[in-house]
Amino acid sequence: MSALNIENLQNTFQNAVNLGGSPGAVSTSPTQSFMNTLPRRLSTSKQQKILKPFSTGDMKILLLENVNQTAIEIFNKQGYQVEFLKGSLPEEELIEKIKDVHAIGIRSKTKLTAKVLEHAKNLVCIGCFCIGTNQVDLNFAAKKGIAVFNSPFSNSRSVAELVIAEIISLARQLGDRSIELHTGTWNKVSNKCWEVRGKTLGIIGYGHIGSQLSVLAEAMGLHVIYYDIVTIMALGTAKQVSTLDELLNNSDFVSLHVPETPETKNLLSAPQFAAMKDGAYMINASRGTVVDIPSLIAAMKAKKIAGAAIDVYPAEPRKNGVGAFADDLNKWTSDLISLPNLILTPHIGGSTEEAQSAIGIEVSTALSNYINEGNSVGSVNFPEVSLKALNYDQENTVRVLYIHQNIPGVLRTVNNILSNHNIDKQFSDSHGDVAYLMADISSVDQSDIKEIYEKLNQTDAKISIRLLY
Amino acid sequence: MSTQVQHIPMMNHVIESYFDEDDMAFSPTESFMNALPRRISILPQESKIKPFSKGDIKILLLENINDQAIVSFRDQGYQVESYRDTLPDQVLTEKIRDVHAIGIRSKTVLSKEVLKQAKNLMVIGCYCIGTNQVDLEYAANMGIAVFNSPFSNSRSVAELVLADIISLARRITDRSLQLHRGEWNNSSKHCYEVRSKTVGIIGYGHIGSQLSILAEAMGMHVIYYDILNIMAIGKAKQVSTMEELLSKADFVTLHVPETPDTKNLISWPQITAMKNGSYLINSSRGSVVNTSALISGLKSGKLLGVALDVYPNEPRYNGEQLFTNRLNKWTSELISLPNVILTPHIGGATIESQSVTGLEVSEAIANFITQGISIDAVNFPEVSLRQTNFADDALRILFAHQDIPGVLRIVNNILATHNIEKQYSESNGKIAYVITDISPVTQNDVHSIYNQLDKIPEKVTVRLIY
């Protein structure tokens, strides 16, 4: 087949694969930019073939919580139908809307519980346009064959920069000074105001964000020590310490960068504040459950802790607005805001144009790859499987995406079904109870596809099937 | 010193305004102590050179100068009187009459009128970087040396500016204030990483260059403009015109001294020349920026935010209701704008900086008093003569005079019958200063030498140390 003109691609599809009666021709409009966003390793010297799914109508994507414009652009270029909302939805509305979408993009406020996902009959994948995935019932999604993707490190740099600014601002009581001066009070003092040079930063959790912070802090002349549940290679001259207490005893600034798990709940509580140095500072830009705020308030009132910066809270408002952050949300709120040298930010660790843009591109690309090619690398709850993209020489090749229960014998059954055809490549992996098989089979006629689909559909272990061709 | 606490009601809570001199803070670590420059040394006691009568030396310290200074003077036997604030002019004039040394910061003005009354004053220490508040020429003509601390606060200022840069880019101060008032706003619109943004530093001196290093360490590009050609540190680039800097920088920050040339350095044309959506930071001097032009730039959206640490008029004391339209007429307009960080001239206000400044300026004052050394004086010829182990009968003569020909000959004529061990003389245009060590001398010699030197018409001051 000679090189194709992109503009004629759609017509070519229609001509090449005419199933007459197949529910809806998918109007994918492949573009150069889509090709360019694919990782290089997937592209061959031959032009990649754009696959369209069998027995699926136009792809419908629901984007909530003001996901970045870059995501909308990428989805639009795929030809998907995008519905975009700025806030999150209450459960009932969510259930209603999720019934007929194929993919949904959310951020940290939307809760995709088992109850909600139960109604998501057509959902193929979920994109968390943030770092956290706790708001999704990952196990339930996997069991329904729904892959979940997130953005593991697009916001790292933004969070690290915010923490550096807060370290210096706490040391200089910058927040209080500016508020005072805005109200007319001139309070030029140097007592208990410090340079950060030569001070020690203790990082709890040395992952993507913790390590980025480590590098920046060292660049600023701070000593860095860190604590993690696993042994991790230090960057620069940072030093891993073996116990949390050792970190707390030796740090002037303590910053948390751990995920939300049962083990990290109330990780910093009264005993930990007591173990900190007198006059130390605490920064929490991880998750609201990690710090016991009443203990923090007590420690600050006792002047044990000289200042704190908090970006996350046990309960956070679902939407922006005045009066949203008050005692009815978290009962200690008025107590907290009465403290001096306290920087409070509304979960903006990742709120920069750069991070949101990068997250938008990263997650929407992952979703598109999964939808268009079945590639599940990077998924947080699913087996990670990928095969090289098909190229135009591979006419009559179909990609089978078969998600099934992880029990013996399935692969044999599937291979039997496909045995009339040539299996060019096959890759299968499992993750807990769920297994995922990708197979490219060639010498497939138009009439075969439907048959393959129906046979696979009838297998017992099947969770979901997609065929792309 | 008793604890003095002033309560400043703010936002439903009471904060202590940290005037508590006994209350040393806890946080400096061993790592901090190792960060102090090694060159600050305790005054050696081997030499027998001493002023007339050290115990009678009176030192007046104003504006809450760091404890280190007080302690180090008292340890050496000086009489120290220390005040938390500056003094009103009349009180100042009264008190300055019989002190030998005075230490001030930026608020006390030592004008000609005040200095005229300072009959016994030998030396002035400015425990800060600025010396504009002193009439330097008049002081020199009275033989009074003025010392300051040229770079003890550089790091503190640079760190503050860096915090300002990130805070402006993330609108942290607004968000925190909003959240304290109950409003949740986590928009990322107009919030940026600073990585790869460009900082434009106007004035690449001690502070400007320190900032240059920190900004590059944070992954920013640095360009700078200065009236001199200065060697770049790291990958910073000097640009040849200020317009070029303004057109390229995302963050413009000023680090120039207060001179007639820098007055309103940033005014309407400069704001116009800046990039759309840029930020301005001024922690240099209040006269450098035309605040009305700045406000206009903010209102039009040209500037996305500003951070100011200095103002054309600043309160002389701490307190409430001081920073108002009465002081600077644009105040209410400025504070009504979003993403405006205002700090009360705290660029150098850290324990570390004050501590080092305290040691540095105190050491300079003590050295001048006890040995006549005037190195690093800002208005005086810089002279130093090495110490030696003297016999009891040695004499150090400190003679400041008008800088005209023939005076040194007259002085050496007077001293001709004695053995001059060493002598060093310098001048800075108007004033000349010579230190001479002679030995042996008798008590009679001392008085005779003094009287003869005192009678020289070109004499400005004469002091003898033995």
Side-chain angles (χ1 to χ4, degrees):
Chain A
M1 202 181 236
S2 58
L4 287 170
N5 191 333
I6 289 294
E7 289 86 78
N8 292 332
L9 209 48
Q10 187 147 332
N11 291 335
T12 312
F13 265 137
Q14 298 304 85
N15 294 336
V17 193
N18 186 352
L19 278 183
S22 83
V26 178
S27 58
T28 52
S29 45
T31 62
Q32 298 283 14
S33 59
F34 163 64
M35 304 299 259
N36 290 337
T37 56
L38 288 178
R40 287 268 161 237
R41 59 178 169 76
L42 285 186
S43 69
T44 62
S45 51
K46 304 172 185 168
Q47 187 140 31
Q48 285 174 25
K49 183 172 168 185
I50 309 303
L51 305 173
K52 69 173 182 176
F54 172 76
S55 87
T56 320
D58 281 353
M59 296 303 292
K60 293 203 178 85
I61 318 263
L62 174 63
L63 295 179
L64 303 177
E65 297 188 63
N66 206 18
V67 156
N68 194 269
Q69 191 63 24
T70 48
I72 302 173
E73 279 159 19
I74 288 179
F75 288 136
N76 279 337
K77 283 191 180 137
Q78 305 298 318
Y80 303 157
Q81 287 180 33
V82 178
E83 190 182 349
F84 174 84
L85 294 172
K86 281 206 164 167
S88 66
L89 292 172
E91 198 180 56
E92 272 148 27
E93 272 185 67
L94 184 57
I95 289 176
E96 191 54 44
K97 280 201 175 298
I98 209 171
K99 281 185 181 146
D100 55 12
V101 295
H102 303 98
I104 182 170
I106 60 172
R107 287 171 70 189
S108 49
K109 297 284 161 292
T110 305
K111 295 214 184 322
L112 297 180
T113 57
K115 183 176 169 192
V116 172
L117 291 176
E118 195 61 68
H119 297 267
K121 299 287 178 215
N122 291 324
L123 198 63
V124 167
C125 53
I126 296 168
C128 298
F129 283 75
C130 55
I131 200 175
T133 51
N134 273 40
Q135 66 278 34
V136 178
D137 189 333
L138 296 172
N139 269 339
F140 191 81
K143 292 210 172 90
K144 288 203 70 181
I146 302 171
V148 178
F149 296 88
N150 73 340
S151 180
F153 47 75
S154 290
N155 70 358
S156 305
R157 173 74 189 202
S158 296
V159 180
E161 286 188 6
L162 183 71
V163 174
I164 293 283
E166 287 174 341
I167 287 173
I168 303 175
S169 299
L170 287 173
R172 304 295 281 271
Q173 301 177 19
L174 181 64
D176 284 1
R177 292 296 94 81
S178 189
I179 294 175
E180 286 162 7
L181 202 47
H182 272 82
T183 60
T185 298
W186 183 268
N187 186 15
K188 173 181 157 138
V189 293
S190 56
N191 193 13
K192 296 190 185 145
C193 297
W194 313 97
E195 287 179 1
V196 303
R197 169 172 56 174
K199 304 297 183 292
T200 300
L201 169 64
I203 301 177
I204 303 177
Y206 206 65
H208 290 127
I209 301 175
S211 54
Q212 273 258 24
L213 174 63
S214 175
V215 170
L216 287 182
E218 284 212 324
M220 288 291 296
L222 287 137
H223 300 298
V224 175
I225 59 178
Y226 61 97
Y227 170 74
D228 201 292
I229 50 177
V230 295
T231 302
I232 301 189
M233 180 192 86
L235 297 176
T237 46
K239 297 218 173 353
Q240 184 159 11
V241 296
S242 45
T243 64
L244 181 59
D245 274 350
E246 189 181 344
L247 181 144
L248 297 171
N249 289 339
N250 290 301
S251 302
D252 302 299
F253 300 88
V254 174
S255 185
L256 295 146
H257 299 288
V258 294
E260 182 173 11
T261 69
E263 289 80 28
T264 63
K265 189 171 167 62
N266 287 338
L267 186 63
L268 283 199
S269 189
Q272 286 71 36
F273 290 118
M276 282 171 70
K277 289 174 71 170
D278 288 348
Y281 305 85
M282 186 216 73
I283 300 169
N284 183 20
S286 63
R287 282 290 175 266
T289 53
V290 176
V291 173
D292 176 47
I293 304 255
S295 306
L296 173 66
I297 294 174
M300 285 182 75
K301 283 185 173 174
K303 304 259 194 291
K304 169 80 179 189
I305 303 293
I310 310 178
D311 191 44
V312 286
Y313 310 87
E316 296 180 10
R318 295 178 77 205
K319 292 198 285 226
N320 289 344
V322 176
F325 188 75
D327 283 341
D328 52 354
L329 188 66
N330 295 291
K331 57 179 162 52
W332 33 251
T333 303
S334 45
D335 217 6
L336 181 69
I337 63 177
S338 71
L339 298 167
N341 208 18
L342 179 73
I343 301 176
L344 301 179
T345 46
H347 203 147
I348 54 168
S351 291
T352 55
E353 305 273 9
E354 292 87 350
Q356 292 305 311
S357 188
I359 290 172
I361 294 174
E362 192 180 320
V363 179
S364 60
T365 304
L367 294 180
S368 303
N369 281 349
Y370 184 68
I371 290 169
N372 291 352
E373 304 203 356
N375 184 349
S376 67
V377 171
S379 169
V380 297
N381 69 333
F382 221 63
E384 295 189 57
V385 174
S386 88
L387 287 177
K388 261 166 61 166
L390 295 180
N391 57 60
Y392 284 108
D393 284 4
Q394 295 170 276
E395 280 187 62
N396 299 336
T397 299
V398 169
R399 176 163 287 186
V400 176
L401 308 173
Y402 182 70
I403 303 167
H404 60 95
Q405 290 162 30
N406 188 17
I407 53 181
V410 181
L411 226 50
R412 178 167 54 97
T413 310
V414 170
N415 281 340
N416 278 344
I417 293 171
L418 303 177
S419 57
N420 289 341
H421 308 280
N422 189 28
I423 299 179
D424 283 349
K425 325 188 190 74
Q426 183 173 299
F427 185 176
S428 160
D429 199 353
S430 66
H431 178 103
D433 294 332
V434 176
Y436 182 35
L437 165 71
M438 268 172 96
D440 286 345
I441 52 180
S442 56
S443 316
V444 178
D445 293 334
Q446 301 159 6
S447 50
D448 295 334
I449 296 181
K450 198 166 172 188
E451 191 192 332
I452 293 172
Y453 184 87
E454 272 159 12
K455 280 194 178 157
L456 288 172
N457 212 8
Q458 278 153 24
T459 54
D460 291 330
K462 169 216 94 175
I463 294 177
S464 77
I465 310 171
R466 287 197 295 139
L467 298 186
L468 306 177
Y469 59 95
Chain B
M1 288 270 165
S2 62
T3 303
Q4 308 188 47
V5 171
Q6 179 175 338
H7 291 277
I8 300 178
M10 181 182 91
M11 296 197 323
N12 306 325
H13 74 273
V14 164
I15 54 167
E16 291 174 353
S17 72
Y18 315 118
F19 292 155
D20 187 342
E21 287 158 7
D22 290 339
D23 197 353
M24 290 304 282
F26 307 108
S27 208
T29 61
E30 285 176 15
S31 47
F32 158 63
M33 297 312 266
N34 291 335
L36 284 180
R38 287 272 162 233
R39 59 181 171 74
I40 303 291
S41 56
I42 304 165
L43 213 51
Q45 299 293 316
E46 315 96 34
S47 166
K48 293 201 177 78
I49 292 181
K50 55 193 186 303
F52 262 122
S53 32
K54 201 161 161 186
D56 289 340
I57 297 291
K58 293 196 173 102
I59 305 189
L60 177 63
L61 299 178
L62 303 180
E63 298 187 64
N64 204 24
I65 283 165
N66 192 272
D67 270 6
Q68 292 275 17
I70 304 172
V71 164
S72 92
F73 283 134
R74 289 210 175 118
D75 282 351
Q76 292 173 66
Y78 299 109
Q79 295 176 43
V80 180
E81 202 178 336
S82 166
Y83 289 90
R84 201 179 67 192
D85 294 310
T86 183
L87 295 173
D89 285 340
Q90 276 158 355
V91 182
L92 179 61
T93 315
E94 185 63 42
K95 284 199 174 291
I96 210 172
R97 282 200 187 114
D98 54 13
V99 295
H100 303 95
I102 183 170
I104 60 172
R105 288 170 69 191
S106 49
K107 295 285 163 286
T108 306
V109 176
L110 296 180
S111 60
K112 188 174 9 190
E113 290 69 38
V114 173
L115 290 177
K116 227 182 252 188
Q117 308 290 327
K119 300 288 178 216
N120 293 321
L121 196 64
M122 288 192 266
V123 57
I124 296 169
C126 297
Y127 284 75
C128 55
I129 201 175
T131 50
N132 274 39
Q133 65 279 34
V134 178
D135 190 333
L136 296 172
E137 197 175 330
Y138 192 79
N141 290 338
M142 285 186 70
I144 301 172
V146 178
F147 296 91
N148 75 339
S149 181
F151 48 73
S152 297
N153 70 358
S154 306
R155 173 76 190 202
S156 296
V157 180
E159 286 188 6
L160 184 70
V161 172
L162 192 63
D164 283 339
I165 287 173
I166 303 176
S167 299
L168 286 172
R170 304 293 283 272
R171 315 184 85 97
I172 296 177
T173 49
D174 280 3
R175 295 279 178 272
S176 186
L177 184 57
Q178 283 170 337
L179 200 49
H180 272 83
R181 292 179 175 155
E183 181 182 346
W184 185 268
N185 176 9
N186 74 352
S187 159
S188 57
K189 185 165 180 210
H190 289 321
C191 296
Y192 301 99
E193 288 180 0
V194 302
R195 170 170 57 173
S196 295
K197 305 298 184 297
T198 300
V199 179
I201 300 177
I202 301 180
Y204 205 66
H206 289 127
I207 301 177
S209 53
Q210 273 260 24
L211 175 65
S212 175
I213 298 170
L214 288 183
E216 282 211 331
M218 286 294 292
M220 303 181 77
H221 301 299
V222 175
I223 59 178
Y224 61 97
Y225 169 75
D226 200 288
I227 49 178
L228 302 171
N229 254 352
I230 302 190
M231 180 191 86
I233 303 185
K235 303 198 301 187
K237 295 220 171 352
Q238 184 160 13
V239 296
S240 44
T241 64
M242 204 165 75
E243 283 63 41
E244 188 182 345
L245 181 146
L246 295 170
S247 68
K248 290 183 172 164
D250 301 296
F251 299 86
V252 174
T253 172
L254 296 148
H255 299 287
V256 294
E258 184 172 18
T259 69
D261 294 324
T262 63
K263 188 170 168 63
N264 284 337
L265 187 65
I266 301 289
S267 192
W268 306 89
Q270 288 71 35
I271 302 280
T272 307
M274 283 172 70
K275 278 175 83 169
N276 285 341
S278 54
Y279 308 81
L280 183 82
I281 300 167
N282 184 19
S283 60
S284 62
R285 282 292 177 266
S287 56
V288 175
V289 172
N290 178 332
T291 314
S292 300
L294 191 69
I295 289 173
S296 174
L298 279 166
K299 284 185 166 170
S300 71
K302 173 85 175 191
L303 301 179
L304 281 181
V306 304
L308 300 175
D309 191 45
V310 287
Y311 311 88
N313 299 306
E314 297 179 10
R316 293 180 82 193
Y317 307 90
N318 285 348
E320 298 173 46
Q321 313 282 15
L322 294 179
F323 189 73
T324 61
N325 284 343
R326 273 175 286 126
L327 191 63
N328 296 291
K329 59 176 164 46
W330 34 251
T331 303
S332 51
E333 219 184 337
L334 181 65
I335 64 177
S336 73
L337 298 167
N339 211 18
V340 169
I341 302 177
L342 303 177
T343 45
H345 203 147
I346 55 167
T350 56
I351 297 289
E352 291 87 350
S353 165
Q354 295 302 311
S355 203
V356 174
T357 299
L359 287 176
E360 199 175 82
V361 179
S362 300
E363 190 185 10
I365 291 176
N367 281 348
F368 186 74
I369 292 175
T370 59
Q371 300 177 63
I373 293 173
S374 63
I375 298 297
D376 286 335
V378 296
N379 68 336
F380 220 65
E382 295 190 51
V383 175
S384 162
L385 215 48
R386 65 184 166 85
Q387 277 182 296
T388 47
N389 288 332
F390 270 83
D392 274 330
D393 52 1
L395 173 69
R396 174 165 281 199
I397 302 165
L398 311 171
F399 187 67
H401 59 94
Q402 289 162 30
D403 186 19
I404 51 187
V407 181
L408 212 53
R409 182 170 51 94
I410 298 172
V411 170
N412 283 339
N413 277 345
I414 293 170
L415 303 176
T417 53
H418 302 280
N419 185 29
I420 295 180
E421 305 265 350
K422 31 181 155 47
Q423 185 177 72
Y424 184 1
S425 159
E426 276 273 1
S427 68
N428 71 350
K430 295 213 162 156
I431 300 288
Y433 181 48
V434 54
I435 304 180
T436 313
D437 285 344
I438 60 178
S439 87
V441 290
T442 67
Q443 194 76 328
N444 286 339
D445 294 333
V446 170
H447 289 266
S448 158
I449 290 170
Y450 182 87
N451 289 333
Q452 288 178 80
L453 290 173
D454 202 32
K455 288 197 179 87
I456 297 176
E458 295 84 359
K459 168 215 90 172
V460 170
T461 58
V462 53
R463 264 202 304 142
L464 301 187
I465 302 175
Y466 63 100

